[in-house]
Amino acid sequence: MFERASAILKEQNIKSDSFQLQFVVYRNYNSKEDKILQSSPWETKPDNLRAFMNTIEVEGGWNNEAIEIGLWHANQENERENITQVILIGDAPPNTKDEVKEKRNGFQETYWKGTKFSKPTYYQDELDKLKAHSIPVHAFFVEQRAETVFKQIAQQTGGRGEMLDINSSSGSQMLTDLVTEEILRNVGGTTKGNALVEAYRNRYQKGYT
């Protein structure tokens, strides 16, 4: 996605390093502080992000997931330096308020009080903060059970909500296209964003099967 976005930007005489990405992995409250949320540095080089993802292993689960932790992190990052968009990819809805309380009790509140996640939060509260700063959340769901709430998240923030079929033969291509388009749309802004997306589609997209 970096290479493709950079190529389109160069064609349009826009600096190819006009954007940075940070990868963030959220899990659930059966993962401890160092695993419930893992994040890369902000990067302009794809190899560094690839190296980060190579360190990630699957764990957690537990039905609805701690999307609230991922959105909380986005708000923390925005307080340090303005971010312009969030791309959310997941296979399960966020925890309800009751689930946050119940699941945190697995390790007990005394454990969480000693971490950076000492204060319980709820995904809607974090979403409202992002919305207040006009930060769109593009929500791509990979399982049907997440469809309703992911589309609501996108709609509330002015983002894009769509199915991402990672199990299809073209799943990786779909992921690349979805993320790259939102990078280009964001870099181009209201004046050039749609034109950059159109240029990308004309050059790279051939349809999915």
Side-chain angles (χ1 to χ4, degrees), residues 164-182:
L164 174 60
D165 188 1
I166 59 172
N167 295 315
S168 74
S169 59
S170 55
S172 61
Q173 178 66 41
M174 291 175 66
L175 175 59
T176 297
D177 288 344
L178 290 170
V179 175
T180 306
E181 285 184 10
E182 295 314 319

Side-chain angles (χ1 to χ4, degrees), residues 10-144:
K10 285 179 181 177
E11 286 179 0
Q12 303 296 321
N13 296 315
I14 300 173
K15 289 182 178 180
S16 60
D17 60 352
S18 297
F19 65 93
Q20 292 181 316
L21 291 182
Q22 181 187 65
F23 284 180
V24 179
V25 177
Y26 62 85
R27 293 189 174 92
N28 223 328
Y29 298 99
N30 51 354
S31 295
K32 291 198 170 182
E33 180 184 16
D34 62 334
K35 291 294 182 66
I36 191 171
L37 184 135
Q38 293 177 272
S39 61
S40 74
W42 287 95
E43 294 286 359
T44 59
K45 297 180 180 179
D47 288 346
N48 293 342
L49 290 173
R50 193 174 295 114
F52 166 74
M53 290 306 296
N54 286 339
T55 69
I56 299 300
E57 297 179 354
V58 175
E59 71 167 66
W62 210 359
N63 299 316
N64 291 350
E65 295 178 337
I67 292 175
E68 64 276 2
I69 293 293
L71 298 179
W72 170 86
H73 176 79
N75 279 309
Q76 296 296 306
E77 289 295 300
N78 189 58
E79 287 181 8
R80 282 190 279 271
E81 185 172 350
N82 289 348
I83 64 174
T84 55
Q85 63 179 334
V86 174
I87 298 175
L88 171 65
I89 301 172
D91 63 357
N95 289 316
T96 65
K97 281 187 176 180
D98 286 342
E99 285 173 332
V100 170
K101 183 177 180 180
E102 291 167 5
K103 291 179 179 181
R104 284 172 65 95
N105 280 336
F107 288 135
Q108 302 298 320
E109 276 298 329
T110 51
Y111 169 77
W112 294 111
K113 290 295 183 185
T115 73
K116 60 185 175 183
F117 309 112
S118 59
K119 185 178 180 181
T121 190
Y122 177 53
Y123 89 95
Q124 188 62 58
D125 296 334
E126 299 299 336
L127 203 62
D128 288 343
K129 294 176 187 177
L130 292 170
K131 184 178 178 181
H133 288 94
S134 300
I135 299 171
V137 179
H138 307 290
F140 301 115
F141 53 95
V142 300
E143 296 285 350
Q144 291 295 335

